[in-house]
Amino acid sequence: MDKELKRASGFPADTRGRNSPVRKLTLGIAVTVSALLMAGCATGGGAPDAKGATTAELAAVKAVADAHVAAPTTLSQSIPLKGTLPAHGKIIYLNSGLPATTLMVDAAHKAVDGIGWTFEELAYQGSNPATLRSALLTALAKGPNAVLISGDPVSAYGEDVIQQYKDAGIPLIVGSVCPLQPVGSIIQGALGCDAEAAAGKTLADWFIADSKGVGQVLFENIPAIPSLEAFVKSFKQEVTDKCAACGVQILESTLTQVSANQVVPTVVNTLRSKPDINYVFFDNAQFSKGITAALKAAGLNGQVKIGGRSMDQGAQGGLMDGSQVAWTAFSYPVAGYSQVDAALRAITHSDGLDKVSLLPFQLVTQESVKGTSVPYNYPTGALEQYLKLWGVK
């Protein structure tokens, strides 16, 4: 580097000691050249921030995040169904028992009641593939018009089960799974890869802006639920692309840890061993229950900012009391309505299936949480909007 600067100055290398006139002049020019080089690096990007990011870069990511801080008011779906719905029909929703899934199932029940059809719910254990396959076959045997499921990968269904659905011509609406291969009669439901990527990118931009381009985050992730992994991958890629000084460490969790309530203790133990981390994000707020108290008990309260994906009522309370900082949020009830929307479009051969996956979402912060409904449910009047598209109202 010194040789390059000396060549740039036009002077030969100096060998006559620290105080020689030539050395002093060379060092002076070197300082000038270094300053010019630094200015050149910032060209088009604004003045460098004191902590390593440029003001223009921070402004750009903040603008992306800010575009999603207001609660959504309209659905992503806008295409009416073709013709008129049959007077009678039956839809079955398989429920793994996770709180988020239960909210979707309950909302789907209301939607199906709204069109005057029959609704049925079948339970299974997400950590036990055998119960999942059994529930799928039981649902098929009941002669439904469509079967809905959320969160479990198609690889867990069994090829024989998928073939039986195909042979029967019964649409199997799969939500909260990505990537999704449309094999047999499987149809993409609510919350596919495009939805997860958009929300993950937005949270990443908020994180970069909030940390002034130097944040270090531990991100808890359950890769067994593909949609959660997709969100985290999108988040990490956005940070990698836009924040060289930031760091993202992924902490993988299992469904067994979820069942045993071991996610939060594992997160806290990891944070104890990594004092440089100043953010902790969860891939689903329902897995963060008790995190604020656990951090306080570990002496980490106030040292780590808490947030992540899919705000639930507990996380919403954390934002309201100031103990948590930012969560992406979509309405689980709207996701349930969207699952039914996909089923009805498949049954009636209507357009608009490509709009089912991407649901409207919000970036909820300590400021934007004020006045939001508890539990979170936006757009308001979503069921009425769907019923209108379905020709019911």
Side-chain angles (χ1 to χ4, degrees):
M1 180 69 175
D2 289 339
K3 291 180 180 179
E4 291 176 356
L5 289 173
K6 287 170 183 176
R7 284 197 296 270
S9 70
F11 286 92
D14 172 43
T15 57
R16 292 181 293 169
R18 294 174 57 90
N19 298 317
S20 72
V22 173
R23 180 179 179 84
K24 289 180 179 179
L25 180 58
T26 302
L27 288 174
I29 293 174
V31 170
T32 301
V33 172
S34 296
L36 290 172
L37 288 172
M38 290 180 65
C41 291
T43 299
D49 182 89
K51 294 184 178 181
T54 69
T55 54
E57 289 168 343
L58 293 177
V61 292
K62 185 175 185 300
V64 174
D66 287 349
H68 292 278
V69 296
T73 58
T74 59
L75 301 174
S76 300
Q77 185 63 268
S78 60
I79 301 174
L81 294 183
K82 289 181 180 177
T84 303
L85 280 174
H88 304 286
K90 182 176 185 178
I91 289 180
I92 298 176
Y93 209 135
L94 306 188
N95 188 352
S96 64
L98 290 175
T101 305
T102 299
L103 286 172
M104 292 185 228
V105 172
D106 291 345
H109 193 167
K110 290 180 182 178
V112 174
D113 285 348
I115 62 175
W117 284 18
T118 301
F119 181 87
E120 188 171 345
E121 172 185 343
L122 292 177
Y124 70 96
Q125 298 174 355
S127 59
N128 187 341
T131 65
L132 168 58
R133 290 193 290 271
S134 176
L136 284 165
L137 290 174
T138 299
L140 185 60
K142 289 177 175 287
N145 294 86
V147 174
L148 318 182
I149 186 171
S150 297
D152 288 280
V154 174
S155 59
Y157 300 176
E159 292 184 6
D160 59 323
V161 174
I162 295 173
Q163 185 63 46
Q164 289 186 55
Y165 270 81
K166 179 181 179 181
D167 293 343
I170 302 301
L172 181 55
I173 311 302
V174 180
S176 303
V177 170
C178 81
L180 182 69
Q181 294 294 330
V183 297
S185 61
I186 289 175
I187 293 172
Q188 175 71 67
L191 297 172
C193 286
D194 51 356
E196 300 297 347
K201 177 179 181 292
T202 298
L203 181 62
D205 288 331
W206 178 90
F207 160 71
I208 296 168
D210 185 72
S211 71
K212 301 297 187 291
V214 294
Q216 304 298 310
V217 60
L218 178 70
F219 212 133
E220 173 275 330
N221 179 221
I222 300 179
I225 303 178
S227 61
L228 306 188
E229 186 179 31
F231 181 100
V232 176
K233 283 184 176 180
S234 175
F235 176 95
K236 186 174 182 179
Q237 188 61 58
E238 181 77 353
V239 173
T240 299
D241 291 344
K242 295 186 177 179
C243 189
C246 295
V248 181
Q249 298 184 46
I250 307 300
L251 177 63
E252 292 190 355
S253 301
T254 66
L255 291 172
T256 301
Q257 286 176 298
V258 172
S259 300
N261 295 319
Q262 289 301 306
V263 173
V264 165
T266 302
V267 167
V268 173
N269 287 336
T270 303
L271 291 172
R272 281 196 182 108
S273 66
K274 297 179 181 294
D276 60 317
I277 291 176
N278 48 12
Y279 292 77
V280 58
F281 289 163
F282 292 83
D283 59 11
N284 197 308
Q286 65 191 24
F287 307 141
S288 71
K289 185 177 180 180
I291 184 62
T292 302
L295 289 175
K296 185 176 182 179
L300 298 172
N301 191 40
Q303 299 179 35
V304 181
K305 294 184 176 183
I306 304 166
R309 171 191 176 276
S310 294
M311 179 187 74
D312 65 1
Q313 192 167 338
Q316 193 172 9
L319 290 174
M320 290 177 175
D321 67 22
S323 62
Q324 300 181 20
V325 291
W327 293 86
T328 61
F330 59 85
S331 166
Y332 288 120
V334 173
Y337 304 149
S338 184
Q339 287 280 88
V340 175
D341 182 65
L344 298 180
R345 291 178 190 281
I347 292 167
T348 59
H349 306 287
S350 297
D351 295 333
L353 277 171
D354 59 327
K355 293 191 174 185
V356 168
S357 173
L358 186 58
L359 294 185
F361 71 92
Q362 181 180 2
L363 176 67
V364 190
T365 65
Q366 292 175 350
E367 287 300 315
S368 62
V369 74
K370 297 174 182 177
T372 56
S373 64
V374 181
Y376 183 89
N377 191 12
Y378 294 91
T380 57
L383 180 54
E384 288 72 19
Q385 293 182 51
Y386 272 116
L387 289 173
K388 185 176 181 180
L389 291 174
W390 301 337
V392 178
K393 288 189 177 182

